[in-house]
Amino acid sequence: MSQRPSGQESPPPTAAAGPATVTVFASPSSWIESDALAQCHQVAALDGMTHVAAMPDLHPGKGAPIGAAMTSTVLYPFLVGSDIGCGIAVFPMRLKRAVPERLAARFPDLDRALDPERDAGDPAWAVVEGDIPAGHVEGLGTVGRGNHFVELARIGTVLDAGHAGRLGLAEGDLVLVVHSGSRGLGERILRAHTEVHGAGPAPDPGAYLAMHDDAVRWGSLNRRLMAARVAHALGAEPAEPLVDQCHNLVEVRDGAYLHRKGAAPGDGRDVLIAGTRGTPSYLVAAHAGPDAGHSVAHGAGRKMSRADALRRGRAKHTVEELRRTPVGSLVVCGDRQLLFEEAPTAYKRIEQVIADLVAHDLATPVATTIPLVTYKTADLGSAPRREQRERRRERGRR
């Protein structure tokens, strides 16, 4: 995978689009929807836009493409979106035995927020240093819905032993992958802007960036809190993340605003590019330059809309079939609709995404991670009895 396919040269991917350029880092065989490309060109026509770099996981979003890095002299909050600070962190996990069926039943309820007063004695708080960003205590320690997840995985194939060794990883090791963002905080920030300015630029970039930076810090803290909650529930010690990269953010770089929506920082960073709950994910060493917006893909990228995935999935699969994946892992998800919407078949092939990044010299694969247990949302029917009793008590107080 580290070599360009023999006899096949990648075509020059850059095309003019008004005042800005659009570069698509994908091969002709990759699944790129015309609607997503159209959105890239629409963004390229915005005032101040200089370059749009589309990743191989590109797909249409609400008003702006997902899987793109967009450089402009003007700051556009809608290009970052509502889930400011969304990202993926990878934590080492030390467990004596990893039996998916047993571990799935011990996962905590990550839909239940940690309350600073009610849950003051929860050991997960030990990872919090200083004040909570923006004082936003709603949703702390929760994963959210959509494509967010918390996954216990094992290191599969090691593709760069030297780099993996520097991270302290070897084949068979366990890791916890946490994908989540700033929950309601980012949405509140974007709504405050759009209610007055719509999709227009930020009138005071400094004020927006201050709130944005709080949301980025909040998202990172929240990933650490969830990892600590899971570690304690599974009988492990919480650890510092090996990787924690945000893929919904804006940064000031070389005198311009670099917006990333579903694109991870790729300038010398280690990045976990998520596959699906039924396929490997890839830990890569990213080395993307300015043509790529110093960015790499953040995941496999959707191939189907949620409505299409729900309709097609119900025609082909049962709920129980979707609770165990092709790689033998288990899915904790009490929301049946979400099970279908997030089915592995709704996404592109992660192997093609990684191959495109390699072919364009944006990243070097380090290792794969293979899912064991993927948590989407609480399955109350299989929750530990203690947690079920606690929920019943809480309902009785309402």
Side-chain angles (χ1 to χ4, degrees):
M1 186 177 289
S2 61
Q3 299 296 322
R4 189 186 303 278
S6 60
Q8 179 182 336
E9 292 294 324
S10 295
T14 303
T21 51
V22 176
T23 304
V24 182
F25 291 91
S27 65
S29 59
S30 296
W31 184 292
I32 303 292
E33 294 174 81
S34 59
D35 286 351
L37 292 174
Q39 286 187 335
C40 287
H41 288 274
Q42 290 165 7
V43 168
L46 293 173
D47 289 344
M49 193 64 56
T50 57
H51 185 57
V52 176
M55 298 295 114
D57 59 335
L58 183 75
H59 56 286
K62 294 181 179 179
I66 300 172
M70 299 153 282
T71 305
S72 175
T73 58
V74 177
L75 174 52
Y76 290 98
F78 91 98
L79 293 183
V80 179
S82 61
D83 200 8
I84 306 166
C86 185
I88 295 179
V90 181
F91 301 81
M93 289 285 286
R94 302 282 184 260
L95 296 173
K96 292 181 179 179
R97 295 187 64 195
V99 181
E101 289 79 5
R102 295 181 181 179
L103 295 173
R106 293 172 61 185
F107 259 65
D109 181 355
L110 298 177
D111 294 334
R112 177 183 178 275
L114 289 177
D115 183 272
E117 296 183 2
R118 181 194 63 208
D119 303 309
D122 195 303
W125 289 116
V127 304
V128 180
E129 298 178 358
D131 295 333
I132 295 170
H136 186 74
V137 298
E138 294 85 2
L140 275 170
T142 63
V143 64
R145 294 294 177 95
N147 64 350
H148 293 167
F149 64 87
V150 176
E151 182 171 277
L152 182 67
R154 63 175 174 82
I155 299 296
T157 304
V158 174
L159 301 162
D160 186 331
H163 198 114
R166 289 192 292 275
L167 291 172
L169 295 175
E171 185 175 338
D173 285 351
L174 298 180
V175 293
L176 191 73
V177 180
V178 182
H179 176 203
S180 189
S182 58
R183 309 295 282 111
L185 179 57
E187 183 178 0
R188 188 177 74 191
I189 293 169
L190 181 65
R191 187 186 305 117
H193 171 82
T194 56
E195 285 178 349
V196 180
H197 306 286
D204 184 346
Y208 171 81
L209 286 172
M211 295 184 291
H212 161 283
D213 292 350
D214 276 342
V216 170
R217 286 191 291 270
W218 198 98
S220 181
L221 171 63
N222 196 44
R223 291 188 284 276
R224 285 166 167 76
L225 270 171
M226 282 188 280
R229 295 182 76 179
V230 174
H232 286 299
L234 301 187
E237 286 296 318
E240 286 295 305
L242 302 172
V243 171
D244 187 7
Q245 295 299 336
C246 171
H247 50 240
N248 283 1
L249 76 163
V250 61
E251 67 173 85
V252 179
R253 188 177 189 121
D254 300 326
Y257 297 107
L258 174 56
H259 311 75
R260 292 187 176 99
K261 180 67 180 292
D267 47 353
R269 318 287 184 94
D270 294 322
V271 177
L272 193 285
I273 300 178
T276 72
R277 66 192 187 216
T279 63
S281 295
Y282 281 75
L283 179 63
V284 306
H287 38 75
D291 285 350
H294 305 281
S295 303
V296 293
H298 79 310
R302 291 197 74 90
K303 185 172 67 174
M304 298 181 198
S305 69
R306 295 187 182 280
D308 284 345
L310 183 62
R311 176 176 52 82
R312 296 183 187 186
R314 282 175 168 167
K316 292 183 178 180
H317 304 288
T318 66
V319 168
E320 289 309 311
E321 285 174 342
L322 293 178
R323 291 186 188 276
R324 186 174 288 276
T325 76
V327 296
S329 62
L330 297 180
V331 181
V332 178
C333 183
D335 185 333
R336 295 189 173 200
Q337 179 172 322
L338 189 62
L339 265 175
F340 289 104
E341 291 177 345
E342 290 292 309
T345 51
Y347 285 82
K348 304 178 186 184
R349 290 183 61 251
I350 185 62
E351 292 81 5
Q352 183 65 57
V353 171
I354 300 300
D356 285 351
L357 293 175
V358 171
H360 289 94
D361 197 26
L362 303 186
T364 300
V366 174
T368 63
T369 66
I370 311 298
L372 295 175
V373 177
T374 303
Y375 178 101
K376 295 292 294 181
T377 185
D379 185 352
L380 301 185
S382 61
R385 292 177 182 175
R386 176 179 57 79
E387 291 191 8
Q388 290 185 51
R389 288 197 298 269
E390 185 176 332
R391 290 193 194 91
R392 284 196 292 268
R393 285 198 298 271
E394 287 185 1
R395 293 190 191 103
R397 298 190 195 108
R398 293 172 186 166

